[in-house]
Amino acid sequence: MIMSELYGSMVFCDKVMSKRLPKETYAELKRCCELDLPLSLEVANVIANEMKEWAIEKGVTHFTHWFQPMTGITAEKHDSFIAPTKSGEVIMELSGKELIKGEPDASSFPNGGLRSTFEARGYTAWDPTSYAFIKDGILCIPTAFCSYNGDALDKKTPLLRSMEAINRQGVRLLRLLGRKTERLDVTVGSEQEYFLVDTKEFEKRKDLFYTGRTLFGARPPKGQELDDHYFGAIKPRVVRYMKELDEELWKLGILAKTKHNEVAPAQHEFAPIYTSVNVASDQNQLTMEMMKKVASRHGMTCLLHEKPFGGVNGSGKHNNWSLCTNFGHNLFEPGSSPQDNAQFLLILAAVIAAVDKHQDLLRISVASAGNDHRLGANEAPPAIVSMFLGDEITGILQAIADGRTFSSRANCEVKLGVHVLPKFAMDRSDRNRTSPFAFTGNKFEFRMPGSAQSIAGVNVVLNTILAEQFEEFADELEKEKDLSAGISRIIKRVMTEHGRIIFNGNNYSEEWVEEAERRGLLNLKSTVDALPLLTSEKNIKLFESQNVFTERELRSREEIYTETYCRLVNIEAMTMLDIATEQILPAAIKYKGELVKVAENSIKIGVPADTETEMATTLARLIGSANQKTAALRTALEKAHKTGEHISGGRCFCDEVLPAMSELRSVCDELELNTAKEYWPLPSYGDILFSIY
């Protein structure tokens, strides 16, 4: 199939709708989407019928309201198109009512106390701004998910609310600046890192199967030290996987663009072209699902955990975030003379103030048990939120703050010293891959999200904090007689009060940790440190004022996130105990016994057995230590169970269970290095990381 026929072939997209829907119906749908208006049931009936006919032509018999509950993955309940007739036959139908509203059980999903077990009714509501698509022979209709009382129980609803908030406040600010903007859209491109391992090796590791990461494993002789995997030639098996993944994603209208090897062995990256943040969020969920499905067809398993292997780089998800008007103008585009671009500098000042005021929320938006292993590990940004703007942009803002004129550097060319090679213009700033929130020319790259996380949460926060700042600036500028002077005063104040958040240096260094503390920046090292701040008075006021979360919804999320953290660490600890007691210790004891037998037999015939004795003695010491560490982990886990799945329980898991797990792992990894491979029950890191080559 040629690309023009393949791309979007499984999507009820704008092109399909413009052809199949009556002109007046299509026009009304577009009008409602652009103006955030509800569709009438009459219009919905026409759309539903055409959507059903299109799906049937592709062999579809069932549809589902596809939604994103607080589990972090997607959910679906399949209903057939079949409806009975009076004559005892059946017809295929999909009504506007069925398109607009579904009723899944709302009591069995994480709800943070918003629903009781006996309060089962919930609703899914069609989101017409995200196209319906066919997946696995099912018509999937993207929907929001709420409780009987209208409380948001999903990732999509707050995201849509935040999009309305930033549009509302952004348009207001831009009109004060003389722009005829009718709508402000958030666009996002999410780079997705992942590991591929051979399924046969994966299935031999109970820790990978249950938790997504290795809880034990000595480092292999070769890891990522030579930097030879990064951007290296992609192995044929992986090329075949990536080719099929591209094709599957293209069918779903996902603009798969870039693919390459990442730093660690068996690690890779995928990146799409930018699209609306709501669609980008939906598509990233689909991408993660498709990555796993396609991998299984190639005898591989796709790992999306943030830290599958100790000692090698983990996986993140870089959220590239920008703002565009309905005329296609990117508000983060500085232009050829950024020092003279008042609109750009004002928007930038809003971002600076928003990020500094709400460091806690940005940290919370990426908080998870898995991501805690990655942040600050010299492979990802630290848990300290800061911004990179580059020397030129920072210099312009600082000059305004200081009341002086900025002298821009002349345009420079990059010269490689070889005449046959072309010269090209130097960018205005370098890239800073250590920064959590880096300006990269016409967008901000938020590098803290973990690879397994939905991007909805981080964009809810980004949209909302900027909407608040836009509102504050608009309130101030409305009172100004001299707009230019007012903008300068705002920028000066922002740099004075919030300039501390700008850091253009090495975020991986210990010196930065000390400097950040001196500046008064937050260092929320763990999820448990961060989560209690979600429902602070400041944050409740923020989300309620922008109509993104009610206090009730916000508190429910704090409870859900805390429970999830406790449960994930508990699963890891329980798995670790199982592996240690059922596999590692018995194997080490068996090998020690064999060494003792060899030593005894050697002594009987007068052959020295010093080596065997020394090896057995070392094993005996390590086995004893591992047994003690196992008991200590069990004790810590019992204490955490008694404490409960709230923040104090999370603190116990963080401060006592995780350190106990680390100590048990340390001694067991040493045991691996002292046990013959034929006795060791788990595939080694070398076996796994190089299994697909």
Side-chain angles (χ1 to χ4, degrees):
M1 184 182 291
I2 61 175
M3 177 58 70
S4 59
E5 296 175 351
L6 179 71
Y7 182 77
S9 58
M10 293 296 163
V11 184
F12 194 66
C13 60
D14 195 69
K15 179 181 178 182
V16 174
M17 288 189 287
S18 65
K19 289 182 177 179
R20 301 188 69 115
L21 295 177
K23 288 184 178 180
E24 60 275 13
T25 302
Y26 174 72
E28 178 64 10
L29 172 63
K30 297 292 287 184
R31 186 183 75 87
C32 290
C33 289
E34 289 173 2
L35 300 178
D36 295 325
L37 298 173
L39 280 168
S40 68
L41 182 59
E42 186 177 64
V43 171
N45 277 326
V46 177
I47 296 171
N49 184 66
E50 282 303 321
M51 189 183 291
K52 178 257 302 180
E53 291 297 322
W54 169 79
I56 289 174
E57 289 170 13
K58 293 183 177 293
V60 173
T61 58
H62 287 67
F63 72 95
T64 182
H65 274 200
W66 184 80
F67 59 102
Q68 300 170 43
M70 294 300 294
T71 56
I73 57 176
T74 59
E76 49 196 65
K77 180 186 74 171
H78 301 169
D79 290 299
S80 72
F81 292 133
I82 292 177
T85 65
K86 291 181 180 179
S87 62
E89 298 177 326
V90 295
I91 59 172
M92 305 287 270
E93 68 176 20
L94 175 65
S95 68
K97 183 178 179 181
E98 290 173 309
L99 172 63
I100 290 173
K101 188 187 79 171
E103 292 191 20
D105 188 330
S107 65
S108 299
F109 291 104
N111 60 70
L114 290 177
R115 306 294 289 155
S116 299
T117 302
F118 63 88
E119 296 174 313
R121 191 181 297 278
Y123 299 116
T124 49
W126 175 39
D127 171 18
T129 65
S130 186
Y131 300 135
F133 56 91
I134 296 171
K135 174 176 68 74
D136 300 328
I138 306 296
L139 173 64
C140 298
I141 302 166
T143 57
F145 178 44
C146 67
S147 73
Y148 178 68
N149 296 319
D151 296 312
L153 295 175
D154 66 342
K155 302 279 188 179
K156 178 182 279 283
T157 303
L159 181 59
L160 293 172
R161 292 173 181 171
S162 74
M163 292 166 64
E164 289 190 0
I166 197 170
N167 173 59
R168 181 171 60 249
Q169 303 298 350
V171 167
R172 178 186 169 208
L173 180 62
L174 290 173
R175 286 179 178 171
L176 283 171
L177 300 179
R179 309 300 180 192
K180 297 180 180 179
T181 303
E182 296 178 357
R183 184 168 187 84
L184 191 61
D185 294 315
V186 180
T187 60
V188 165
S190 55
E191 303 167 42
Q192 176 76 55
E193 296 174 345
Y194 61 100
F195 280 81
L196 290 173
V197 299
D198 193 281
T199 299
K200 292 178 182 177
E201 302 298 330
F202 169 84
E203 290 174 344
K204 297 174 186 175
R205 297 279 314 214
K206 188 186 291 189
D207 48 1
L208 277 178
F209 183 83
Y210 284 122
T211 74
R213 76 179 182 105
T214 52
L215 301 173
F216 300 100
R219 293 187 64 175
K222 180 182 184 297
Q224 61 189 54
E225 300 87 351
L226 298 178
D227 298 323
D228 55 342
H229 190 258
Y230 190 52
F231 276 32
I234 303 172
K235 302 300 180 183
R237 188 176 180 186
V238 179
V239 167
R240 291 191 294 272
Y241 162 79
M242 288 181 169
K243 182 178 184 297
E244 183 177 351
L245 177 63
D246 278 345
E247 291 172 354
E248 291 296 331
L249 294 177
W250 289 335
K251 290 177 188 176
L252 293 169
I254 298 173
L255 291 159
K257 179 70 173 177
T258 302
K259 53 190 179 184
H260 63 83
N261 288 348
E262 254 299 332
V263 173
Q267 188 183 33
H268 311 278
E269 183 177 297
F270 155 91
I273 295 175
Y274 293 64
T275 188
S276 165
V277 62
N278 179 39
V279 174
S281 180
D282 286 356
Q283 290 186 346
N284 184 248
Q285 293 295 123
L286 275 172
T287 296
M288 291 190 288
E289 180 182 337
M290 200 57 63
M291 281 178 165
K292 293 180 178 180
K293 286 182 178 178
V294 174
S296 67
R297 298 173 196 163
H298 293 260
M300 297 186 290
T301 297
C302 176
L303 303 178
L304 292 174
H305 193 283
E306 288 80 7
K307 192 71 172 179
F309 304 99
V312 298
N313 277 16
S315 296
K317 184 179 301 186
H318 302 168
N319 188 82
N320 294 284
W321 176 72
S322 60
L323 300 175
C324 293
T325 69
N326 57 299
F327 298 112
H329 175 61
N330 185 341
L331 297 188
F332 293 151
E333 178 60 60
S336 58
S337 301
Q339 67 270 23
D340 301 320
N341 190 337
Q343 176 183 290
F344 166 73
L345 295 175
L346 182 66
I347 299 297
L348 199 59
V351 178
I352 293 168
V355 171
D356 186 47
K357 287 180 182 179
H358 299 292
Q359 303 165 48
D360 56 342
L361 284 176
L362 287 169
R363 174 65 181 92
I364 290 166
S365 74
V366 300
S368 72
N371 212 21
D372 281 356
H373 296 289
R374 170 180 164 265
L375 295 177
N378 285 347
E379 66 196 51
I384 304 166
V385 175
S386 67
M387 293 177 65
F388 168 82
L389 296 180
D391 293 337
E392 182 176 25
I393 300 297
T394 305
I396 293 169
L397 293 169
Q398 194 58 56
I400 295 173
D402 296 340
R404 55 183 170 82
T405 302
F406 176 77
S407 299
S408 61
R409 66 172 174 81
N411 291 332
C412 299
E413 287 185 335
V414 177
K415 300 177 181 178
L416 298 177
V418 179
H419 294 301
V420 74
L421 297 179
K423 300 173 184 177
F424 49 89
M426 181 183 293
D427 288 315
R428 292 189 175 274
S429 71
D430 202 345
R431 290 185 62 199
N432 188 328
R433 65 180 301 273
T434 72
S435 176
F437 195 71
F439 183 66
T440 56
N442 61 1
K443 65 184 184 301
F444 280 94
E445 182 182 26
F446 188 32
R447 302 183 68 253
M448 293 179 76
S451 55
Q453 294 177 311
S454 163
I455 63 170
V458 300
N459 287 294
V460 165
V461 170
L462 287 170
N463 295 348
T464 307
I465 64 177
L466 193 56
E468 179 195 52
Q469 204 56 52
F470 281 167
E471 181 179 29
E472 183 180 311
F473 284 3
D475 288 344
E476 188 169 345
L477 290 175
E478 280 177 348
K479 302 171 185 175
E480 288 285 351
K481 294 182 179 179
D482 185 337
L483 198 63
S484 179
I487 291 172
S488 294
R489 277 193 291 272
I490 287 174
I491 294 172
K492 182 174 182 178
R493 185 183 71 246
V494 166
M495 289 300 292
T496 301
E497 296 178 1
H498 304 292
R500 63 177 184 168
I501 201 70
I502 301 170
F503 179 64
N504 295 331
N506 181 10
N507 289 256
Y508 291 174
S509 69
E510 286 299 320
E511 290 79 11
W512 166 236
V513 176
E514 297 169 4
E515 170 65 15
E517 184 177 5
R518 187 189 66 77
R519 294 187 186 191
L521 301 181
L522 294 174
N523 187 1
L524 304 170
K525 296 181 180 179
S526 73
T527 293
V528 178
D529 294 327
L531 287 182
L533 299 178
L534 179 60
T535 52
S536 68
E537 183 178 347
K538 168 184 77 77
N539 292 335
I540 291 172
K541 180 181 177 182
L542 164 74
F543 285 115
E544 287 195 327
S545 69
Q546 299 303 325
N547 300 316
V548 174
F549 285 119
T550 64
E551 179 176 349
R552 173 180 163 92
E553 290 171 334
L554 207 57
R555 293 193 182 281
S556 76
R557 275 159 169 74
E558 180 184 343
E559 184 175 327
I560 290 169
Y561 298 149
T562 305
E563 286 180 352
T564 301
Y565 176 86
C566 293
R567 291 172 183 178
L568 286 173
V569 178
N570 179 64
I571 291 170
E572 290 185 350
M574 295 286 286
T575 303
M576 203 168 199
L577 288 172
D578 281 358
I579 294 174
T581 56
E582 296 175 5
Q583 294 182 275
I584 291 177
L585 283 172
I589 290 170
K590 184 177 181 181
Y591 181 54
K592 184 196 74 171
E594 289 298 317
L595 288 172
V596 170
K597 285 181 184 179
V598 171
E600 289 175 346
N601 291 335
S602 296
I603 292 170
K604 285 179 182 179
I605 61 175
V607 175
D610 295 348
T611 300
E612 293 89 336
T613 301
E614 182 180 347
M615 291 172 65
T617 301
T618 298
L619 277 172
R621 174 181 60 80
L622 292 172
I623 289 168
S625 178
N627 190 52
Q628 291 175 355
K629 303 299 183 186
T630 301
L633 174 56
R634 188 173 283 110
T635 299
L637 194 56
E638 289 171 355
K639 180 179 178 181
H641 289 167
K642 292 176 182 177
T643 309
E645 294 179 332
H646 37 73
I647 202 65
S648 57
R651 178 58 61 192
C652 185
F653 275 108
C654 181
D655 295 345
E656 299 187 42
V657 174
L658 284 173
M661 291 171 62
S662 180
E663 290 188 13
L664 176 57
R665 172 172 185 156
S666 180
V667 68
C668 286
D669 288 355
E670 194 175 350
L671 264 175
E672 180 181 354
L673 296 174
N674 285 275
T675 302
K677 186 174 179 62
E678 62 188 279
Y679 287 85
W680 195 251
L682 307 174
S684 69
Y685 267 24
D687 294 334
I688 303 170
L689 288 170
F690 298 95
S691 62
I692 59 173
Y693 304 145

